[in-house]
Amino acid sequence: CRICGILWNLSFNDRNKELIVEEGFLPIIKQSMIIHININNIQDSICCTLYNLSINDRNKGLIVEQGLLSILKQSMITHINNNDIQYSICCILWKLSRKDRNLELIVEEGFLLIIKQSMIIHINNNDIQHSICGTLGNLSANDRNQELIVEQGFLSLIKQSMITHINNNDVQNSICGTLWNLSFNNRNKVLIVEKGFLLIYEQSMITHIN
């Protein structure tokens, strides 16, 4: 755990983000996550390290190529009720989903169902809602994902999050980014209005008029 904490601290440095990966730490990080899948503090410190590493554009591809998506998925399931781990993993997904190829791979790995469950459990947590909606916003830049996100019932959850966090600038911004992308799909244009979003848009605009 101390080594993971050291890597976490080191990975705040931009050059170190590259060197840690070049030194071959990703397979070791992966193995540590597998062995200690049930230990909260190890998973949390590893995920915080991976978040820092995923800020680097090249690392976004390498993290996925090394098979860490499946481990992140398992960690997210195992620690579904842990605020810190959910937040860290959602932030990682948010960063990874800025790479076009990862938009498909994250959904193919089955993350939508887990993200939905996390969104329900942590509906009152500003940070988790912000990071989840940021991830959904990136994922919904993909045409097929626009359909899948709606098919999996996210509109109702997004609506609930928008109401619950009506006064939070960050959550409102990430939700609006998600809905913007989803609304490029013609079918979604109809469904968004049918779900009653216009009234919430109005309330959000009034609340955040400045």
Side-chain angles (χ1 to χ4, degrees):
C1 185
R2 290 183 182 232
I3 292 176
C4 296
I6 294 168
L7 288 174
W8 181 10
N9 286 339
L10 293 177
S11 63
F12 281 97
N13 177 278
D14 288 342
R15 177 59 180 146
N16 288 350
K17 289 178 175 65
E18 300 174 355
L19 293 173
I20 289 168
V21 172
E22 289 173 7
E23 190 62 38
F25 271 97
L26 286 182
I28 305 168
I29 287 172
K30 178 181 175 181
Q31 186 63 22
S32 184
M33 280 190 84
I34 293 170
I35 293 171
H36 304 288
I37 191 66
N38 294 308
I39 302 178
N40 288 351
N41 58 348
I42 293 180
Q43 294 295 307
D44 186 37
S45 59
I46 287 177
C47 288
C48 288
T49 301
L50 285 173
Y51 169 72
N52 283 348
L53 295 178
S54 68
I55 294 171
N56 178 281
D57 285 341
R58 175 159 168 72
N59 289 349
K60 288 178 174 67
L62 294 172
I63 289 169
V64 173
E65 289 172 12
Q66 288 286 339
L68 280 153
L69 279 183
S70 62
I71 313 303
L72 288 168
K73 176 183 171 183
Q74 186 57 49
S75 184
M76 199 170 181
I77 293 170
T78 303
H79 303 279
I80 192 69
N81 293 304
N82 185 296
N83 289 347
D84 293 335
I85 294 175
Q86 293 298 303
Y87 176 63
S88 295
I89 294 177
C90 289
C91 285
I92 293 168
L93 293 173
W94 192 358
K95 291 297 182 185
L96 294 179
S97 61
R98 290 182 178 176
K99 187 175 180 65
D100 287 345
R101 176 60 180 142
N102 291 349
L103 295 177
E104 300 173 0
L105 294 174
I106 289 169
V107 172
E108 289 173 5
E109 190 63 44
F111 269 99
L112 286 182
L113 185 61
I114 308 161
I115 289 172
K116 181 179 177 182
Q117 185 65 21
S118 184
M119 202 171 179
I120 293 169
I121 292 172
H122 303 282
I123 189 64
N124 293 310
N125 187 299
N126 288 345
D127 292 333
I128 294 176
Q129 295 296 309
H130 180 214
S131 60
I132 284 177
C133 291
T135 301
L136 290 173
N138 286 347
L139 294 177
S140 61
N142 176 281
D143 290 345
R144 177 60 179 145
N145 289 350
Q146 288 167 9
E147 299 175 358
L148 292 172
I149 288 168
V150 172
E151 287 172 7
Q152 294 213 14
F154 273 95
L155 284 183
S156 296
L157 291 175
I158 291 170
K159 178 181 176 182
Q160 185 57 48
S161 183
M162 198 168 184
I163 293 169
T164 302
H165 303 281
I166 191 67
N167 294 307
N168 186 291
N169 290 345
D170 291 334
V171 176
Q172 294 295 305
N173 186 53
S174 60
I175 287 176
C176 288
T178 299
L179 292 169
W180 184 3
N181 281 343
L182 291 177
S183 65
F184 281 100
N185 178 283
N186 287 330
R187 175 64 178 148
N188 290 350
K189 286 180 173 70
V190 176
L191 293 173
I192 289 168
V193 173
E194 288 179 353
K195 280 288 182 183
F197 273 96
L198 289 183
L199 185 61
I200 309 167
Y201 289 158
E202 182 181 22
Q203 184 60 43
S204 183
M205 287 183 72
I206 293 170
T207 303
H208 301 278
I209 192 67
N210 294 314

PDB file of all heavy atoms in Angstrom, residues 135-158:
ATOM      1  N   THR A 135     -18.205  11.094 -17.797  1.00  0.00           N
ATOM      2  CA  THR A 135     -17.917   9.873 -18.561  1.00  0.00           C
ATOM      3  C   THR A 135     -18.998   9.618 -19.594  1.00  0.00           C
ATOM      4  O   THR A 135     -18.709   9.327 -20.763  1.00  0.00           O
ATOM      5  CB  THR A 135     -17.800   8.659 -17.612  1.00  0.00           C
ATOM      6  OG1 THR A 135     -16.756   8.896 -16.676  1.00  0.00           O
ATOM      7  CG2 THR A 135     -17.509   7.393 -18.400  1.00  0.00           C
ATOM      8  N   LEU A 136     -20.255   9.731 -19.178  1.00  0.00           N
ATOM      9  CA  LEU A 136     -21.367   9.519 -20.114  1.00  0.00           C
ATOM     10  C   LEU A 136     -21.335  10.540 -21.245  1.00  0.00           C
ATOM     11  O   LEU A 136     -21.674  10.216 -22.387  1.00  0.00           O
ATOM     12  CB  LEU A 136     -22.703   9.600 -19.374  1.00  0.00           C
ATOM     13  CG  LEU A 136     -23.022   8.449 -18.416  1.00  0.00           C
ATOM     14  CD1 LEU A 136     -24.298   8.756 -17.626  1.00  0.00           C
ATOM     15  CD2 LEU A 136     -23.176   7.129 -19.175  1.00  0.00           C
ATOM     16  N   GLY A 137     -20.923  11.753 -20.912  1.00  0.00           N
ATOM     17  CA  GLY A 137     -20.813  12.781 -21.945  1.00  0.00           C
ATOM     18  C   GLY A 137     -19.804  12.399 -23.008  1.00  0.00           C
ATOM     19  O   GLY A 137     -20.053  12.552 -24.214  1.00  0.00           O
ATOM     20  N   ASN A 138     -18.655  11.865 -22.584  1.00  0.00           N
ATOM     21  CA  ASN A 138     -17.650  11.412 -23.549  1.00  0.00           C
ATOM     22  C   ASN A 138     -18.133  10.207 -24.343  1.00  0.00           C
ATOM     23  O   ASN A 138     -18.006  10.149 -25.563  1.00  0.00           O
ATOM     24  CB  ASN A 138     -16.345  11.055 -22.824  1.00  0.00           C
ATOM     25  CG  ASN A 138     -15.581  12.279 -22.362  1.00  0.00           C
ATOM     26  OD1 ASN A 138     -15.868  13.401 -22.763  1.00  0.00           O
ATOM     27  ND2 ASN A 138     -14.611  12.068 -21.505  1.00  0.00           N
ATOM     28  N   LEU A 139     -18.695   9.226 -23.624  1.00  0.00           N
ATOM     29  CA  LEU A 139     -19.162   8.006 -24.294  1.00  0.00           C
ATOM     30  C   LEU A 139     -20.241   8.315 -25.321  1.00  0.00           C
ATOM     31  O   LEU A 139     -20.313   7.669 -26.378  1.00  0.00           O
ATOM     32  CB  LEU A 139     -19.705   7.008 -23.267  1.00  0.00           C
ATOM     33  CG  LEU A 139     -18.691   6.415 -22.279  1.00  0.00           C
ATOM     34  CD1 LEU A 139     -19.403   5.504 -21.282  1.00  0.00           C
ATOM     35  CD2 LEU A 139     -17.590   5.639 -23.008  1.00  0.00           C
ATOM     36  N   SER A 140     -21.065   9.305 -25.039  1.00  0.00           N
ATOM     37  CA  SER A 140     -22.185   9.626 -25.932  1.00  0.00           C
ATOM     38  C   SER A 140     -21.751  10.406 -27.166  1.00  0.00           C
ATOM     39  O   SER A 140     -22.576  10.761 -28.007  1.00  0.00           O
ATOM     40  CB  SER A 140     -23.272  10.400 -25.171  1.00  0.00           C
ATOM     41  OG  SER A 140     -22.771  11.623 -24.667  1.00  0.00           O
ATOM     42  N   ALA A 141     -20.447  10.647 -27.298  1.00  0.00           N
ATOM     43  CA  ALA A 141     -19.938  11.219 -28.548  1.00  0.00           C
ATOM     44  C   ALA A 141     -19.931  10.176 -29.657  1.00  0.00           C
ATOM     45  O   ALA A 141     -19.810  10.510 -30.835  1.00  0.00           O
ATOM     46  CB  ALA A 141     -18.529  11.774 -28.339  1.00  0.00           C
ATOM     47  N   ASN A 142     -20.080   8.904 -29.273  1.00  0.00           N
ATOM     48  CA  ASN A 142     -20.140   7.790 -30.224  1.00  0.00           C
ATOM     49  C   ASN A 142     -21.594   7.516 -30.591  1.00  0.00           C
ATOM     50  O   ASN A 142     -22.462   7.404 -29.717  1.00  0.00           O
ATOM     51  CB  ASN A 142     -19.504   6.559 -29.572  1.00  0.00           C
ATOM     52  CG  ASN A 142     -19.589   5.317 -30.430  1.00  0.00           C
ATOM     53  OD1 ASN A 142     -20.635   4.682 -30.487  1.00  0.00           O
ATOM     54  ND2 ASN A 142     -18.496   4.956 -31.078  1.00  0.00           N
ATOM     55  N   ASP A 143     -21.880   7.396 -31.895  1.00  0.00           N
ATOM     56  CA  ASP A 143     -23.264   7.256 -32.356  1.00  0.00           C
ATOM     57  C   ASP A 143     -23.977   6.047 -31.749  1.00  0.00           C
ATOM     58  O   ASP A 143     -25.124   6.144 -31.304  1.00  0.00           O
ATOM     59  CB  ASP A 143     -23.306   7.150 -33.892  1.00  0.00           C
ATOM     60  CG  ASP A 143     -22.949   8.456 -34.572  1.00  0.00           C
ATOM     61  OD1 ASP A 143     -22.941   9.504 -33.883  1.00  0.00           O
ATOM     62  OD2 ASP A 143     -22.666   8.442 -35.787  1.00  0.00           O
ATOM     63  N   ARG A 144     -23.303   4.909 -31.736  1.00  0.00           N
ATOM     64  CA  ARG A 144     -23.923   3.706 -31.183  1.00  0.00           C
ATOM     65  C   ARG A 144     -24.157   3.838 -29.687  1.00  0.00           C
ATOM     66  O   ARG A 144     -25.192   3.424 -29.164  1.00  0.00           O
ATOM     67  CB  ARG A 144     -23.040   2.481 -31.476  1.00  0.00           C
ATOM     68  CG  ARG A 144     -23.546   1.168 -30.880  1.00  0.00           C
ATOM     69  CD  ARG A 144     -24.903   0.789 -31.395  1.00  0.00           C
ATOM     70  NE  ARG A 144     -25.369  -0.469 -30.835  1.00  0.00           N
ATOM     71  CZ  ARG A 144     -26.641  -0.736 -30.551  1.00  0.00           C
ATOM     72  NH1 ARG A 144     -27.584   0.154 -30.796  1.00  0.00           N
ATOM     73  NH2 ARG A 144     -26.981  -1.907 -30.055  1.00  0.00           N
ATOM     74  N   ASN A 145     -23.212   4.456 -29.008  1.00  0.00           N
ATOM     75  CA  ASN A 145     -23.354   4.658 -27.563  1.00  0.00           C
ATOM     76  C   ASN A 145     -24.530   5.567 -27.227  1.00  0.00           C
ATOM     77  O   ASN A 145     -25.156   5.417 -26.172  1.00  0.00           O
ATOM     78  CB  ASN A 145     -22.067   5.231 -26.971  1.00  0.00           C
ATOM     79  CG  ASN A 145     -20.940   4.220 -26.952  1.00  0.00           C
ATOM     80  OD1 ASN A 145     -21.141   3.038 -27.207  1.00  0.00           O
ATOM     81  ND2 ASN A 145     -19.738   4.691 -26.651  1.00  0.00           N
ATOM     82  N   GLN A 146     -24.821   6.521 -28.106  1.00  0.00           N
ATOM     83  CA  GLN A 146     -25.976   7.394 -27.886  1.00  0.00           C
ATOM     84  C   GLN A 146     -27.252   6.568 -27.754  1.00  0.00           C
ATOM     85  O   GLN A 146     -28.123   6.865 -26.922  1.00  0.00           O
ATOM     86  CB  GLN A 146     -26.118   8.385 -29.045  1.00  0.00           C
ATOM     87  CG  GLN A 146     -25.061   9.471 -29.063  1.00  0.00           C
ATOM     88  CD  GLN A 146     -25.027  10.241 -30.368  1.00  0.00           C
ATOM     89  OE1 GLN A 146     -25.905  10.085 -31.224  1.00  0.00           O
ATOM     90  NE2 GLN A 146     -24.010  11.077 -30.532  1.00  0.00           N
ATOM     91  N   GLU A 147     -27.349   5.536 -28.561  1.00  0.00           N
ATOM     92  CA  GLU A 147     -28.524   4.665 -28.485  1.00  0.00           C
ATOM     93  C   GLU A 147     -28.494   3.785 -27.242  1.00  0.00           C
ATOM     94  O   GLU A 147     -29.499   3.639 -26.536  1.00  0.00           O
ATOM     95  CB  GLU A 147     -28.589   3.785 -29.742  1.00  0.00           C
ATOM     96  CG  GLU A 147     -28.719   4.555 -31.043  1.00  0.00           C
ATOM     97  CD  GLU A 147     -28.651   3.645 -32.254  1.00  0.00           C
ATOM     98  OE1 GLU A 147     -28.463   2.420 -32.077  1.00  0.00           O
ATOM     99  OE2 GLU A 147     -28.766   4.161 -33.379  1.00  0.00           O
ATOM    100  N   LEU A 148     -27.323   3.200 -26.967  1.00  0.00           N
ATOM    101  CA  LEU A 148     -27.202   2.252 -25.858  1.00  0.00           C
ATOM    102  C   LEU A 148     -27.443   2.912 -24.504  1.00  0.00           C
ATOM    103  O   LEU A 148     -28.084   2.319 -23.623  1.00  0.00           O
ATOM    104  CB  LEU A 148     -25.826   1.593 -25.886  1.00  0.00           C
ATOM    105  CG  LEU A 148     -25.553   0.647 -27.055  1.00  0.00           C
ATOM    106  CD1 LEU A 148     -24.092   0.211 -27.059  1.00  0.00           C
ATOM    107  CD2 LEU A 148     -26.470  -0.574 -26.981  1.00  0.00           C
ATOM    108  N   ILE A 149     -26.943   4.116 -24.339  1.00  0.00           N
ATOM    109  CA  ILE A 149     -27.111   4.825 -23.066  1.00  0.00           C
ATOM    110  C   ILE A 149     -28.595   5.050 -22.776  1.00  0.00           C
ATOM    111  O   ILE A 149     -29.059   4.845 -21.648  1.00  0.00           O
ATOM    112  CB  ILE A 149     -26.331   6.159 -23.090  1.00  0.00           C
ATOM    113  CG1 ILE A 149     -24.820   5.878 -23.016  1.00  0.00           C
ATOM    114  CG2 ILE A 149     -26.764   7.076 -21.946  1.00  0.00           C
ATOM    115  CD1 ILE A 149     -23.951   7.082 -23.313  1.00  0.00           C
ATOM    116  N   VAL A 150     -29.330   5.416 -23.789  1.00  0.00           N
ATOM    117  CA  VAL A 150     -30.768   5.640 -23.600  1.00  0.00           C
ATOM    118  C   VAL A 150     -31.503   4.309 -23.430  1.00  0.00           C
ATOM    119  O   VAL A 150     -32.383   4.178 -22.557  1.00  0.00           O
ATOM    120  CB  VAL A 150     -31.343   6.452 -24.785  1.00  0.00           C
ATOM    121  CG1 VAL A 150     -32.866   6.514 -24.706  1.00  0.00           C
ATOM    122  CG2 VAL A 150     -30.747   7.858 -24.786  1.00  0.00           C
ATOM    123  N   GLU A 151     -31.125   3.317 -24.214  1.00  0.00           N
ATOM    124  CA  GLU A 151     -31.767   1.997 -24.111  1.00  0.00           C
ATOM    125  C   GLU A 151     -31.586   1.386 -22.723  1.00  0.00           C
ATOM    126  O   GLU A 151     -32.453   0.641 -22.249  1.00  0.00           O
ATOM    127  CB  GLU A 151     -31.196   1.052 -25.176  1.00  0.00           C
ATOM    128  CG  GLU A 151     -31.656   1.367 -26.593  1.00  0.00           C
ATOM    129  CD  GLU A 151     -30.928   0.536 -27.643  1.00  0.00           C
ATOM    130  OE1 GLU A 151     -30.161  -0.382 -27.250  1.00  0.00           O
ATOM    131  OE2 GLU A 151     -31.118   0.808 -28.840  1.00  0.00           O
ATOM    132  N   GLN A 152     -30.476   1.692 -22.075  1.00  0.00           N
ATOM    133  CA  GLN A 152     -30.201   1.124 -20.751  1.00  0.00           C
ATOM    134  C   GLN A 152     -30.824   1.933 -19.619  1.00  0.00           C
ATOM    135  O   GLN A 152     -30.569   1.669 -18.443  1.00  0.00           O
ATOM    136  CB  GLN A 152     -28.703   0.959 -20.553  1.00  0.00           C
ATOM    137  CG  GLN A 152     -28.124  -0.079 -21.499  1.00  0.00           C
ATOM    138  CD  GLN A 152     -26.963  -0.852 -20.908  1.00  0.00           C
ATOM    139  OE1 GLN A 152     -26.712  -0.821 -19.708  1.00  0.00           O
ATOM    140  NE2 GLN A 152     -26.251  -1.563 -21.757  1.00  0.00           N
ATOM    141  N   GLY A 153     -31.663   2.908 -19.974  1.00  0.00           N
ATOM    142  CA  GLY A 153     -32.456   3.595 -18.963  1.00  0.00           C
ATOM    143  C   GLY A 153     -31.774   4.739 -18.244  1.00  0.00           C
ATOM    144  O   GLY A 153     -32.176   5.106 -17.130  1.00  0.00           O
ATOM    145  N   PHE A 154     -30.782   5.350 -18.870  1.00  0.00           N
ATOM    146  CA  PHE A 154     -30.047   6.414 -18.194  1.00  0.00           C
ATOM    147  C   PHE A 154     -30.794   7.742 -18.138  1.00  0.00           C
ATOM    148  O   PHE A 154     -30.503   8.573 -17.274  1.00  0.00           O
ATOM    149  CB  PHE A 154     -28.690   6.629 -18.870  1.00  0.00           C
ATOM    150  CG  PHE A 154     -27.608   5.735 -18.343  1.00  0.00           C
ATOM    151  CD1 PHE A 154     -27.309   4.538 -18.976  1.00  0.00           C
ATOM    152  CD2 PHE A 154     -26.892   6.081 -17.215  1.00  0.00           C
ATOM    153  CE1 PHE A 154     -26.312   3.710 -18.486  1.00  0.00           C
ATOM    154  CE2 PHE A 154     -25.891   5.264 -16.717  1.00  0.00           C
ATOM    155  CZ  PHE A 154     -25.602   4.068 -17.354  1.00  0.00           C
ATOM    156  N   LEU A 155     -31.754   7.958 -19.025  1.00  0.00           N
ATOM    157  CA  LEU A 155     -32.419   9.264 -19.027  1.00  0.00           C
ATOM    158  C   LEU A 155     -33.103   9.554 -17.695  1.00  0.00           C
ATOM    159  O   LEU A 155     -33.014  10.677 -17.175  1.00  0.00           O
ATOM    160  CB  LEU A 155     -33.429   9.354 -20.178  1.00  0.00           C
ATOM    161  CG  LEU A 155     -32.851   9.558 -21.586  1.00  0.00           C
ATOM    162  CD1 LEU A 155     -33.979   9.702 -22.593  1.00  0.00           C
ATOM    163  CD2 LEU A 155     -31.938  10.777 -21.637  1.00  0.00           C
ATOM    164  N   SER A 156     -33.762   8.563 -17.137  1.00  0.00           N
ATOM    165  CA  SER A 156     -34.435   8.767 -15.845  1.00  0.00           C
ATOM    166  C   SER A 156     -33.436   9.105 -14.746  1.00  0.00           C
ATOM    167  O   SER A 156     -33.686   9.966 -13.892  1.00  0.00           O
ATOM    168  CB  SER A 156     -35.229   7.512 -15.454  1.00  0.00           C
ATOM    169  OG  SER A 156     -36.268   7.273 -16.367  1.00  0.00           O
ATOM    170  N   LEU A 157     -32.284   8.440 -14.759  1.00  0.00           N
ATOM    171  CA  LEU A 157     -31.256   8.697 -13.749  1.00  0.00           C
ATOM    172  C   LEU A 157     -30.618  10.069 -13.934  1.00  0.00           C
ATOM    173  O   LEU A 157     -30.339  10.775 -12.960  1.00  0.00           O
ATOM    174  CB  LEU A 157     -30.181   7.610 -13.811  1.00  0.00           C
ATOM    175  CG  LEU A 157     -30.604   6.220 -13.355  1.00  0.00           C
ATOM    176  CD1 LEU A 157     -29.477   5.224 -13.584  1.00  0.00           C
ATOM    177  CD2 LEU A 157     -30.996   6.252 -11.892  1.00  0.00           C
ATOM    178  N   ILE A 158     -30.371  10.421 -15.184  1.00  0.00           N
ATOM    179  CA  ILE A 158     -29.805  11.738 -15.466  1.00  0.00           C
ATOM    180  C   ILE A 158     -30.770  12.827 -15.010  1.00  0.00           C
ATOM    181  O   ILE A 158     -30.364  13.839 -14.419  1.00  0.00           O
ATOM    182  CB  ILE A 158     -29.488  11.871 -16.970  1.00  0.00           C
ATOM    183  CG1 ILE A 158     -28.321  10.949 -17.350  1.00  0.00           C
ATOM    184  CG2 ILE A 158     -29.166  13.317 -17.332  1.00  0.00           C
ATOM    185  CD1 ILE A 158     -28.085  10.823 -18.843  1.00  0.00           C
TER     186      ILE A 158
END
